[in-house]
Amino acid sequence: MIGFTLSEEQEALRARVREFAEKEMKPKAREYDENGTYCMDVMRSAFEQKIMNDSIPKIYGGPGHSNLESAIITEELGAACMGMGTSIMANSLALAPIILFGNDAQKEKYLRWHTREFRIAAFCLTEREAGSDASAAKTVALREGDEYVINGAKCFTTNGGYADLFVVFASTAPSKGPLGMSAFIVEKSMGVEVGKAENKMGQRASNQTEMHFKNVRVPAENIIGREGHGFKVAMGTLDRTRAGTAAGAVGIARRALEEAVAYANTRIQFGAPLTKQQAIQFKLADMATKVEAARLLTWQAAWLADNNIRQSKESAMAKCFAGDIAMQVTTEAVQILGGNGYSKEYPVEKLMRDAKLMQIYEGTQEIQRLVIAREVAKAR
Ligand code: COS
């Protein structure tokens, strides 16, 4: 049975998050973008309204939203300001390995940390020499008694400068490549140091930093799963979270379409509004079709995850398609607004800059295509 309508509860969730995004995110988006202000106040409010940490199960005090509900939330955040949306959703990315692969004691301790009070978390996988090639990571975690000692450095860590909890991927057996990687829950107070923050083209309300681990001692009980399981934890997490990234991209694209339509309805050229002119009508038609198609792929990936059906291929398709169409739709929106589109007086140039990152983070478009191609090749 296939349905394309949301339940009453899901509609209510969408309305509640849209109101939050309109009132608390949109008015600050331009200023935070211009100044590169980290959106801590918006995140705190999202936490208080149970919009942040949305996938923490109810038994640990979280909202316990499904993947589809998370996608609904993230689309709204993306439509208001994806820099802020990324900051909020990066908590979910960091907590996902604990939710998906952690043991009861880890969940009880660290998920409750995040439901009892406002705290920020970060996912530490990428390194300077290990971006797309995640298994080439050089950070090591060597066992000493009942502790692991972590040494190495990560980069582009979203929320890194403000987090007090990190999920860190490090090798416990460097000679084994991806099968030597393990995942750890690391508290900031264990000795994590924050390095340089990135000065970025877009999503400037978010924070990405280098992280340094110099003899950081972590209790052995903080390993997620078992030794050598870390690469699967990372990949399994990204399979789940990529639908959320896709939803953010849908949000950016939808907003660009809305801005373009609003402008084209009032902008008169050659004696008629732009929406009456075929060159612009065709652009708007393509933009609207792409937004709908990307949302359907996104909801499909989320639905599969909610039904515990493997969705590596579908979440990669959703992330890849939605990221690409966000770039295309925002670029067309700038074109429709013309000189005004290129001006910071209008929001579409920010949407275009924010969209670019959707083609890069949580696995580049090239990596998504690689994942899709591998899955397609397996099919008989
Ligand atoms: N779920 C579970 N296990 C997975 C998996 C998945 N989605 N994908 C791979 N694995 C497993 C494989 O099955 C293999 O284990 P076995 O040997 O026991 O079968 C192991 O992980 C290594 O897999 P593989 O040989 O495919 O690894 P590669 O080095 O070829 O890399 C890609 C695979 C490119 C897909 C991976 O490095 C990747 O996703 N890179 C992008 C990383 C990324 O998204 N970075 C963004 C940072 S997060 S902000």
Side-chain angles (χ1 to χ4, degrees):
M1 174 107 154
I2 294 179
F4 294 99
T5 50
L6 298 178
S7 69
E8 262 180 42
E9 291 77 17
Q10 289 163 341
E11 287 289 4
L13 174 69
R14 177 152 73 178
R16 182 167 74 80
V17 180
R18 189 168 290 183
E19 192 183 349
F20 170 82
E22 289 290 329
K23 283 194 183 149
E24 302 201 34
M25 295 171 71
K26 253 191 193 175
K28 296 174 179 165
R30 185 169 158 193
E31 181 200 329
Y32 285 25
D33 173 60
E34 274 184 13
N35 301 333
T37 308
Y38 184 62
C39 56
M40 180 87 92
D41 55 340
V42 174
M43 293 170 78
R44 186 181 293 278
S45 182
F47 167 76
E48 284 161 2
Q49 298 184 45
K50 291 200 171 240
I51 289 168
M52 191 159 128
N53 303 331
D54 64 309
S55 50
I56 296 184
K58 286 190 173 142
I59 46 166
Y60 303 108
H65 286 312
S66 65
N67 290 278
L68 180 57
E69 287 158 355
S70 289
I72 292 167
I73 293 173
T74 313
E75 179 179 328
E76 297 308 320
L77 304 181
C81 173
M82 196 57 205
M84 297 176 190
T86 289
S87 307
I88 293 169
M89 297 318 292
N91 249 51
S92 298
L93 170 65
L95 298 177
I98 304 175
I99 296 171
L100 294 171
F101 302 100
N103 60 34
D104 289 345
Q106 291 167 345
K107 289 181 188 180
E108 191 56 49
K109 179 169 179 185
Y110 290 110
L111 297 182
R112 284 207 189 277
W113 259 39
H114 285 84
T115 52
R116 283 210 187 101
E117 59 184 298
F118 173 62
R119 284 175 184 269
I120 295 171
F123 182 86
C124 298
L125 175 64
T126 301
E127 300 184 4
R128 286 281 166 214
E129 306 304 326
S132 290
D133 187 6
S135 65
K138 294 281 182 294
T139 297
V140 290
L142 299 181
R143 180 109 191 202
E144 280 187 20
D146 55 3
E147 291 178 325
Y148 286 92
V149 183
I150 302 184
N151 277 288
K154 300 287 175 178
C155 64
F156 298 125
T157 304
T158 298
N159 289 345
Y162 300 88
D164 50 13
L165 186 91
F166 301 86
V167 168
V168 181
F169 296 87
S171 187
T172 41
S175 61
K176 290 190 183 164
L179 301 181
M181 191 182 271
S182 304
F184 298 91
I185 305 169
V186 183
E187 298 175 23
K188 174 99 185 271
S189 60
M190 291 169 181
V192 182
E193 290 170 27
V194 180
K196 183 174 79 69
E198 299 297 333
N199 184 7
K200 307 181 300 294
M201 168 200 268
Q203 301 209 15
R204 290 172 53 77
S206 69
N207 166 264
Q208 283 78 19
T209 57
E210 287 177 344
M211 304 305 311
H212 298 285
F213 301 85
K214 292 178 197 148
N215 293 319
V216 172
R217 291 186 169 271
V218 180
E221 67 201 24
N222 278 26
I223 193 166
I224 301 176
R226 54 179 196 279
E227 276 195 19
H229 197 59
F231 198 70
K232 288 181 195 283
V233 171
M235 294 299 114
T237 297
L238 292 169
D239 279 351
R240 278 298 174 97
T241 56
R242 279 176 182 150
T245 309
V250 172
I252 297 175
R254 189 194 90 205
R255 170 82 183 282
L257 173 65
E258 288 165 359
E259 296 290 343
V261 168
Y263 184 88
N265 266 328
T266 53
R267 173 79 172 164
I268 309 291
Q269 290 290 280
F270 306 104
L274 294 184
T275 39
K276 297 280 183 229
Q277 309 199 21
Q278 202 175 54
I280 304 301
Q281 287 175 329
F282 283 7
K283 282 190 195 298
L284 293 173
D286 286 347
M287 290 158 76
T289 306
K290 286 173 180 174
V291 170
E292 298 269 333
R295 186 183 292 119
L296 288 177
L297 273 178
T298 301
W299 285 7
Q300 172 184 250
W303 182 90
L304 289 169
D306 286 335
N307 287 280
N308 291 318
I309 300 169
R310 192 165 185 271
Q311 27 71 51
S312 299
K313 181 183 75 184
E314 289 79 4
S315 57
M317 284 175 166
K319 194 274 176 187
C320 187
F321 187 77
D324 283 351
I325 72 98
M327 199 63 235
Q328 293 159 12
V329 171
T330 54
T331 305
E332 285 294 57
V334 169
Q335 189 68 21
I336 291 170
L337 271 75
N340 286 329
Y342 202 65
S343 163
K344 286 188 185 290
E345 292 300 316
Y346 287 79
V348 289
E349 63 81 31
K350 172 183 180 295
L351 293 170
M352 187 176 164
R353 286 185 286 109
D354 288 354
K356 187 63 209 169
L357 191 53
M358 309 312 288
Q359 295 183 302
I360 297 172
Y361 74 5
E362 279 212 47
T364 61
Q365 304 307 75
E366 291 73 20
I367 288 296
Q368 306 311 317
R369 289 185 168 90
L370 187 148
V371 171
I372 297 163
R374 285 182 180 185
E375 294 289 326
V376 168
K378 275 188 214 164
R380 277 189 267 157

